[in-house]
Amino acid sequence: MELLIKGSIELNKMFMALQRTATGLRHDFGEVENLQQSLRGARDFVKKAAARIEESILSDLLLVRPSAGLLTPNVSHAGDGRDEFVLALSGASNFVRANPHFAISLALRSGDETKIALVYSPIDERLYYAESGRGSYVFSAYHSARTRVSNLSDAADLTIAYNTSDNRQMIGDARRTGCSALDLAWVASGKFDAFVSDPLDFAEIAAGDLLVREAGGKITMDVDLVATNGKIEL
């Protein structure tokens, strides 16, 4: 097959599956924009759209690893117990309000380790991706490059994304974007210096975890999820 992005054939097959799914998701986004007078109606529509993502992409993914399991926030399928696709729509609350800052997070795990990670923003068609041991990258129609975390460490210079429910003191230029998968991708690409969050569904962060690590950053999942450029302590 002709490779679309730098990486393995499996990575490229997963990207093609994302692109096909994103076509329908962009149509759904146009419909949501027409539902803004009824927030409840928009929420119901987006919930159904998320379910359609799982249905539409599953058949494509099974062509990549036919015996793999599937983990999403709503569905768990064991498969062969060795390989597993981890899929989520991140930023669904943005999607509900016709805010284009949302993404599909997709990871392939083997033996409890993430081997391939993709975070795809369907509206601007930008892909962040990584393979274990091969680095982290960003790809779009206009730009393709390896990504690395920032080198900043002075608190006055930091830009930190938060997804926390308490009233903690925030450091630096604090941001709340509402899309954790892209927050992690932006740490990996140096747009943010760190991301601090309440515990999240693993399906939403599995891909971002590998992106951060392959870009030279650090990530811990304890009481909080904390991803940094490795130069700062939070």
Side-chain angles (χ1 to χ4, degrees), residues 142-153:
Y142 310 103
H143 179 63
S144 180
R146 185 162 185 171
T147 64
R148 298 186 187 278
V149 295
S150 72
N151 286 312
L152 300 179
S153 59

Side-chain angles (χ1 to χ4, degrees), residues 1-2 4 9-28 49 52-64 104 106 118 120 122 125 127:
M1 62 171 288
E2 182 180 353
L4 301 176
I9 291 176
E10 282 187 317
L11 170 69
N12 277 267
K13 286 182 177 179
M14 290 170 69
F15 180 36
M16 287 190 290
L18 279 181
Q19 288 181 307
R20 283 190 285 269
T21 299
T23 299
L25 199 58
R26 284 190 288 271
H27 177 268
D28 290 338
R52 284 198 299 274
I53 289 174
E54 297 170 6
E55 293 174 3
S56 66
I57 203 171
L58 181 57
S59 58
D60 285 335
L61 294 179
L62 290 178
L63 295 175
V64 180
I104 308 171
L106 175 62
L118 305 95
Y120 187 54
E125 300 182 69
L127 173 73

Side-chain angles (χ1 to χ4, degrees), residues 28 43-53 55:
D28 290 338
R43 287 196 182 105
D44 289 343
F45 184 86
V46 170
K47 185 177 181 179
K48 292 176 181 177
R52 284 198 299 274
I53 289 174
E55 293 174 3

Side-chain angles (χ1 to χ4, degrees), residues 14-26 28 49-50 52-58 61 70-73 85-92 95 100-107 116-129 179-183 185 203-208 211:
M14 290 170 69
F15 180 36
M16 287 190 290
L18 279 181
Q19 288 181 307
R20 283 190 285 269
T21 299
T23 299
L25 199 58
R26 284 190 288 271
D28 290 338
R52 284 198 299 274
I53 289 174
E54 297 170 6
E55 293 174 3
S56 66
I57 203 171
L58 181 57
L61 294 179
L70 178 69
L71 175 66
T72 80
F85 290 107
V86 185
L87 173 71
L89 175 63
S90 182
F95 194 167
H101 193 75
F102 62 91
I104 308 171
S105 175
L106 175 62
I116 299 176
L118 305 95
V119 172
Y120 187 54
S121 174
I123 302 304
D124 64 6
E125 300 182 69
R126 188 177 302 274
L127 173 73
Y128 298 89
Y129 69 95
C179 182
S180 298
L182 284 176
D183 287 338
E204 189 171 355
I205 60 175
L211 291 176

